[in-house]
Every structure is written in structure tokens, then in C-alpha cells.
Amino acid sequence: MSESRLIILTCNPESDDLALREARQALPGARLAAELEPGVLLIAPGEGSESAQNPFAALAAVWRDAPPIFARHIAPVDLVEALHGDADDVARLRDAVTAQLAPLIDAAQSFSVQARVLPEHLPYRPYDLNTAISEAVAGRTGADLDVREPEQVISVTVASVDGQMRGYLGVSAVEDNLSAWTGGMRRFAREPQQVSRSEFKLLEALDTFRLHLVPRGLALDLGAAPGGWTRILRAAGMYVTAVDPAELDPRLRHDTGIRHKRMSAETFLHGEPEPFDVIANDMRMDARDSSRLMLRFADWLRPGGFAVMTLKLPEQGRLDVLDAALRILRERYVVAGARQLFHNRSEITVYLLPGPTAHDGRRTGERARVR
């Protein structure tokens, strides 16, 4: 067992180079100490840097004010525990946490244990660690266990580095982790009426950016077919105009709260502009072309409304394409958030507010409604 000044950073495996770049920008001198598995990086601070004594706190402070796009989750490493890869590892990790990390837990705040076991061949899984450690910590500290909305988190990551099995352990405030979910992996239950996997992308965006869909509000869904985002908007009580030349899922066709315009978004623009509370865009287009299209819909977004869209990125030159798309969007919107979420693949989800030139030049700095 040893003290550590490491950070575990989680991201989309295809974007680990960009997430590492973000970490180095926020934490000058930071370096990659090890790749625990694709998309799970062990970050070490630069020697002699001002943040070297508490690099996690320094990184969390920067990203609290300016969240990264590609890094999805971070966790501190306060202890590194040598493991044997057998069933007794559960007791080893439980005892290490109880002895060394429990004193860091604020008994007045709720906590949860978020465990990851990266090797697949071990005789225990995250549930075993979560159960054993949470029971021991609750008994030792008297803090309340709250798995859904904890205020503080004990992070446990089991990984093999250079042939040695190790447990990386740390305690943090959940607000410092970028996500309240283990590794930023936001899970949703699949519903019987679900139309497509893309529904999870919108649900995660609403949760991440803390957006509220207003019942009886008006929503515009561009590139709607087969209707996953339309279903989520409609389930919240909104009236939805779904624009797509393709058919919607049969379960949506007879919903009187959905108006299906079987045409392209460009053709739909030729009609009379009408105000919407929400504009959604998950179209399979080049990110720059999709952003230019969104500019033409800026006057259709009501003051106080918001837009959510995905920007599809190519394999090469991703950062250049993303920067260009965001520059285009800023011509008429405020880019209030941009993140590569767990349910994104080669894309970024962007949250937009009306900008300075929308609505006859009136600046609308209103925040979207939040929960």
C-alpha cells in the first residue's frame, strides 16, 4: 500500500489522445503513466509543478469552471493497493479503504462506492467490491449510503499494470468527478416502447446539461426518423414537429401530438418561421454542414429556449472539424455546453442557447430551464 498523486481519466477509447491533450492543457506537465485499458488512462502530474501535491484538486478546479469536451470522468488515486488476483482481493480492498480512506469521508454527507474491475478473468466483479466496501465504510463512519445521488464517492479501480494486479483507490466530492456515474457511464433502462438506441443520447444530454423539457411546449426534431428523439420529446409532454423524408416508427404515426413533415430540413426552411422551445438535431451530416444548417434555424428558437445537436466527427482531423463547427454555431448561438457523452460514438453533443443575433438582434442570455 502506498500513497499516490495519480488521476484516473476515462473517455471514449477513440478520443483518448484528445482527452489526454485536454488534461495536459489544464494541468501543465501532466503525462500518461499507464493505459489501464482503452479509454481508461492513468495520469501523473509533472514533477515540480505547482499542482504536483494535489493534481486531482487542481484539475477538478479548472474543469469545474470550463468542463472538457472529451474527458468524461476523473477520479483521484489516494492509495495503490497490491492485489493477488484472487477472491481475497475483496477483503484486501475493503480493509485498505476502511483503514486509510474512511477517515476522509464526511459523515454528514452521503456516499457511494464506484468500483471497476477491468480484467475480465478475476473471481470477483464490481458488485462484490461495492457491497463489501460500502457496508464497512457505513459501519465505520455512520455516513448514509446513496447509490443514486451521492455527495461523495469512493472510487475503486482494479487493473493490471506491467503484469501486476493493483487497486487504485480514492475519495472525492461527486461534483469534482465530471460525472456522478462510474467512469461517466450513464446507464438508462431500455423501455418496451423504445424506438432506437439514439434515445439514450438525448436522455444523457438532458441529464448532463440539466435541461428540462417543458410540458405542452413546442419542439422541432430535425432528421427525426425513425423517431427516437421525437419519442423522448413527446413523452415529456411536448408537441413535436418531426422533419425527415423517411418514415417514423409505426408506434408514433398516430400520435396527434406529433406532426411529421416528410421533407428535408432544407425544404422545411422554405415555410413560414415558427417559434420552438426546443430544437433537436441528430442528423447524419458533416459537422460543419449541420452547423450551417442550424444557423438558419436560429430565428426559430424562442428566447429562453435551447437546442441540442450532435456533431459527427471524421476519423482524421477531428479537432479541426469540431473547432470549425463550433465557430460556425457561435455566429448565432451561445455554445453553453459541448461534451462527448457515454452514449456518443464519433460525435459530440452540443447544447445551444439563443445568441446575440437571433430574434432581430436582441441578445437573449437567458439560461434554459433547469431542473
Side-chain angles (χ1 to χ4, degrees), residues 23-307:
R24 286 170 170 161
Q25 289 175 333
L27 202 63
R31 59 182 176 84
L32 177 64
E35 181 182 70
L36 303 184
E37 74 170 19
V40 184
L41 310 180
L42 195 62
I43 306 297
E47 293 299 328
S49 65
E50 294 181 4
S51 59
Q53 291 304 311
N54 196 339
F56 177 79
L59 184 60
V62 173
W63 282 352
R64 243 191 326 268
D65 295 331
I69 293 176
F70 296 98
R72 193 172 66 217
H73 183 273
I74 53 173
V77 179
D78 298 315
L79 296 172
V80 180
E81 187 74 12
L83 303 175
H84 297 172
D86 56 25
D88 289 340
D89 282 352
V90 175
R92 293 185 185 99
L93 291 168
R94 178 201 63 203
D95 293 346
V97 170
T98 305
Q100 301 295 321
L101 298 188
L104 303 179
I105 294 294
D106 184 347
Q109 295 186 337
S110 62
F111 81 99
S112 73
V113 178
Q114 296 183 351
R116 285 186 281 179
V117 179
L118 303 185
E120 296 182 354
H121 65 275
L122 297 182
Y124 54 90
R125 301 312 301 159
Y127 174 81
D128 303 306
L129 296 175
N130 289 342
T131 301
I133 294 173
S134 61
E135 289 178 354
V137 170
R140 170 73 180 269
T141 66
D144 291 331
L145 177 67
D146 187 341
V147 176
R148 290 188 175 275
E149 296 185 358
E151 296 170 281
Q152 52 194 334
V153 171
I154 300 171
S155 299
V156 180
T157 302
V158 176
S160 178
V161 177
D162 299 328
Q164 170 63 55
M165 201 69 63
R166 295 185 176 94
Y168 297 92
L169 315 172
V171 175
S172 56
V174 71
E175 63 182 11
D176 289 340
N177 291 23
L178 295 179
S179 170
W181 296 82
T182 307
M185 296 181 285
R186 179 66 167 99
R187 304 287 188 180
F188 297 95
R190 184 178 179 87
E191 300 179 356
Q193 63 271 37
Q194 181 176 329
V195 170
S196 67
R197 176 192 170 279
S198 69
E199 294 183 19
F200 294 147
K201 292 194 292 184
L202 180 56
L203 289 171
E204 187 178 8
L206 296 172
D207 183 71
T208 299
F209 300 128
R210 303 170 71 182
L211 304 175
H212 177 56
L213 300 176
V214 182
R216 304 186 67 83
L218 301 180
L220 174 64
D221 187 6
L222 302 173
W229 284 27
T230 291
R231 191 190 77 82
I232 296 300
L233 296 166
R234 184 71 186 118
M238 303 196 79
Y239 297 105
V240 185
T241 297
V243 179
D244 201 301
E247 288 280 5
L248 294 181
D249 186 276
R251 290 167 290 183
L252 303 178
R253 291 178 193 165
H254 303 295
D255 188 331
T256 57
I258 298 173
R259 178 178 60 162
H260 184 196
K261 293 290 187 177
R262 295 199 62 180
M263 60 183 69
S264 68
E266 291 85 350
T267 301
F268 183 64
L269 276 164
H270 297 321
E272 288 295 322
E274 54 184 311
F276 290 95
D277 298 289
V278 175
I279 298 177
N281 175 357
D282 189 32
M283 299 177 70
R284 293 183 181 89
M285 297 176 66
D286 177 272
R288 294 156 294 190
D289 292 338
S290 187
S291 297
R292 292 186 188 100
L293 178 66
M294 284 296 287
L295 293 188
R296 301 171 66 186
F297 281 96
D299 285 334
W300 300 44
L301 185 60
R302 287 184 177 180
F306 65 88

